[in-house]
Amino acid sequence: MVTSAAIPADPVSDGQATEALKVLVLDDSPAQRNLACAFLRKWGHTAIATGDPSEALEIARDPEISLILCDWMMPGMTGPEFCRRLRVEVTESYAYILLLTSKSEGGALAEGLEAGADDFLNKPIRPPELQARMNAGARIVAMQRELRAKNGLLETALDELQQLYGAIDRDLDEARRLQRASLQDEFRRFGRADVSLLLEASGHVGGDMVGYFPVSEDVVGLFSLDVSGHGVASAMVAARVAGMLSEASPDQNISLHRGADGALHGLPPELAAERMNALMLKEVQSDRYFTLCLAFLDLKTGALRMVQAGHPHPIIHRADGTFELIGLGGMPVGLIEDIPFSGFEARLNPGDRLLMYSDGLTECPDPGGTLLDEDGLIALMRANGSTRGPDFLGRLRDGLVAYAGHDDFPDDLSALLLEFNPA
């Protein structure tokens, strides 16, 4: 130990720390403790002294303790042993440890650093060196506390984000349930025609929609649409467009009009598409657009009046096993003002069926990125030609899963199957 006579009685005061610190002095020598505390208090710091390492461990739990002056040689517990226990037992705050030692061997210094000490101060203590090392330690402790504070803010922000994302997920789940609830029955019979629906969003909610609406005893309307993009915005536009074709309010259905006889009649499908295009651009005013296939089927004759607005070509599976792609292509709805749409006609014979679908089916990729395309879809239809109704659409979906190698599809899936039965 070094006697107090070896330490100057009047320490210098230049270069003081810019902030008052709370310092713990651990030394088994009362004289050394008192002298170190005198220096610290003269410089404006708060000093707490003890000669008991166990008591020092309890004092060091105070998060206000910024710096610890610890003697190396003490009975019962050495300085490195104290450092080691402190770093294990006190983890909620960080104190900078200066080991006071007369040792200068490299191995001893390595031992101290490995135990958790931050710096060393040779005895006898020289006040300018003590101040300089304390200032360096104070800067490190300040940075450490600032980092902890920022980490705390980050953890709080992450907790808030997780709560927000949880609320969003719950809202999206509810939106998905509402979207599913807005879908009509997956199977419905209109006289001699059976209509089946498939709708599956690639996320919580999707921009596809399929449906039907009765026009009269002998005519039924059918539609398949696909809004650009994904997510809530696309789902809202899909719901809005589906509302334009709702069977719940026939007088509000944009594809119908009431004739002089008071009965409802279907407009030419191309005129209905033009009306929807104008409404999308002037009233909905969204950056979304959608592709559409709209059809009216005469249940007596099997005659089809249709419009195809950028939607995939409908497929007729004839009773004799042949397949026909019908339609004229055309531009999507809601993209260009005053664009004309072209209608076309087709006819279903008893035993024929019509598939209207979104590009989520034909653009389904295999693991190598090759798309299913129309030929692949026809192959799936042919392979499942003996099944009917919702079972047939379920088999198509199973075929897509087998083709893709998973059921996490990159795009929404939707399809409408119309089966025209013998009278």
Side-chain angles (χ1 to χ4, degrees):
M1 303 293 293
V2 181
T3 64
S4 59
I7 303 177
D10 185 21
V12 297
S13 60
D14 57 313
Q16 292 181 354
T18 58
E19 181 180 354
L21 305 176
K22 192 172 186 179
V23 183
L24 172 61
V25 178
L26 173 58
D27 198 313
D28 63 318
S29 168
Q32 294 291 336
R33 292 198 304 268
N34 292 336
L35 191 59
C37 289
F39 289 161
L40 295 171
R41 289 168 184 150
K42 183 177 180 64
W43 297 334
H45 303 301
T46 300
I48 302 174
T50 181
D52 184 353
S54 297
E55 181 183 14
L57 286 172
E58 292 302 318
I59 297 173
R61 296 183 186 276
D62 181 355
E64 296 299 318
I65 297 292
S66 301
L67 191 140
I68 299 175
L69 298 181
C70 176
D71 191 22
W72 186 295
M73 298 302 298
M74 296 180 292
M77 185 184 301
T78 66
E81 289 172 344
F82 172 82
C83 294
R84 191 172 290 110
R85 287 191 57 181
L86 177 73
R87 295 308 187 208
V88 171
E89 298 178 17
V90 181
T91 58
E92 295 183 358
S93 61
Y94 189 87
Y96 191 88
I97 302 177
L98 268 173
L99 270 181
L100 307 179
T101 179
S102 58
K103 297 177 178 289
S104 59
E105 300 87 354
L109 299 181
E111 178 188 357
L113 291 172
E114 185 178 358
D118 295 288
D119 201 354
F120 300 89
L121 192 62
N122 290 326
K123 291 182 175 181
I125 297 175
R126 291 176 296 184
E129 185 179 1
L130 174 60
Q131 269 195 334
R133 294 184 182 277
M134 285 182 59
N135 288 343
R139 288 192 294 270
I140 293 175
V141 170
M143 288 188 290
Q144 178 76 12
R145 290 180 175 176
E146 182 180 5
L147 180 60
R148 282 179 177 267
K150 289 182 177 180
N151 285 340
L153 292 174
L154 181 59
E155 290 175 359
T156 300
L158 288 175
D159 289 340
E160 292 175 353
L161 282 175
Q162 288 175 347
Q163 294 175 8
L164 177 61
Y165 285 142
I168 292 174
D169 283 339
R170 289 190 294 272
D171 288 344
L172 288 174
D173 285 338
E174 181 64 21
R176 177 173 56 188
R177 286 192 291 270
L178 290 173
Q179 187 179 49
R180 294 294 304 178
S182 67
L183 181 67
Q184 296 162 297
D185 294 339
E186 67 174 11
F187 176 80
R188 187 163 170 182
R189 177 162 289 167
F190 294 92
R192 61 190 296 188
D194 292 341
V195 181
S196 303
L197 305 179
L198 168 69
L199 181 64
E200 180 175 331
S202 61
H204 284 87
V205 290
D208 283 14
M209 190 62 70
V210 285
Y212 47 75
F213 52 91
V215 179
S216 65
E217 184 177 345
D218 297 328
V219 179
V220 62
L222 312 164
F223 66 88
S224 173
L225 64 94
D226 180 3
V227 180
S228 62
H230 298 91
V232 175
S234 297
M236 292 179 67
V237 174
R240 177 78 169 87
V241 176
M244 299 179 192
L245 301 170
S246 171
E247 69 170 316
S249 304
D251 287 311
Q252 303 300 318
N253 190 313
I254 199 169
S255 68
L256 303 180
H257 72 100
R258 197 169 291 278
D261 57 358
L264 286 172
H265 300 275
L267 291 172
E270 62 273 18
L271 178 57
E274 290 175 8
R275 287 187 172 184
M276 297 171 81
N277 189 63
L279 189 64
M280 282 290 295
L281 290 170
K282 294 179 182 178
E283 295 187 21
V284 178
Q285 294 184 345
S286 169
D287 59 352
R288 310 284 174 170
Y289 60 89
F290 62 91
T291 63
L292 170 72
C293 190
L294 174 65
F296 291 105
L297 171 67
D298 188 314
L299 297 170
K300 286 186 175 180
T301 65
L304 281 167
R305 293 184 300 145
M306 305 184 70
V307 64
Q308 180 193 14
H311 212 60
H313 290 277
I315 301 174
I316 295 178
H317 185 188
R318 297 294 184 185
D320 62 6
T322 59
F323 292 85
E324 297 178 18
L325 273 67
I326 60 175
L328 302 174
M331 293 292 294
V333 178
L335 196 59
I336 301 175
E337 290 186 9
D338 301 324
I339 186 172
F341 295 90
S342 300
F344 63 95
E345 296 181 355
R347 183 175 296 274
L348 296 179
N349 299 313
D352 292 348
R353 49 187 177 180
L354 171 74
L355 184 70
M356 295 158 53
Y357 55 94
S358 68
D359 60 9
L361 279 72
T362 51
E363 295 183 2
C364 175
D366 68 5
T370 302
L371 304 184
L372 180 70
D373 69 32
E374 292 165 338
D375 291 337
L377 179 57
I378 289 174
L380 287 178
M381 294 177 67
R382 180 180 288 111
N384 298 284
S386 60
T387 56
R388 293 178 56 82
D391 288 341
F392 173 80
L393 295 179
R395 294 285 185 88
L396 286 188
R397 183 192 180 281
D398 292 342
L400 292 176
V401 172
Y403 182 80
H406 54 78
D407 61 357
D408 186 16
F409 301 112
D411 199 0
D412 305 328
L413 303 181
S414 63
L416 181 151
L417 175 68
L418 170 71
E419 296 169 298
F420 192 59
N421 303 312

